[in-house]
Amino acid sequence: MRITAGTVADGIREQLFMVGDIPGVLWTPAEGSGPRPLVLIGHGG
């Protein structure tokens, strides 16, 4: 996984990433630590 860009706004960190040729977006709280759940949504688009 390679992070290609990232921003923080309104308490949310958005990180764009690539896994091989497949792009994705990861949204996490900008602050805090500890375990968090992960929701993965895929589509055939």
Side-chain angles (χ1 to χ4, degrees):
M1 183 170 98
R2 180 173 52 93
I3 302 292
T4 58
T7 60
V8 174
D10 297 325
I12 304 294
R13 173 174 286 115
E14 178 182 271
Q15 294 176 297
L16 306 178
F17 65 88
M18 298 288 290
V19 176
D21 293 336
I22 302 168
V25 180
L26 177 64
W27 291 284
T28 58
E31 300 295 327
S33 63
R36 296 184 176 98
L38 174 67
V39 177
L40 178 62
I41 301 172
H43 64 83

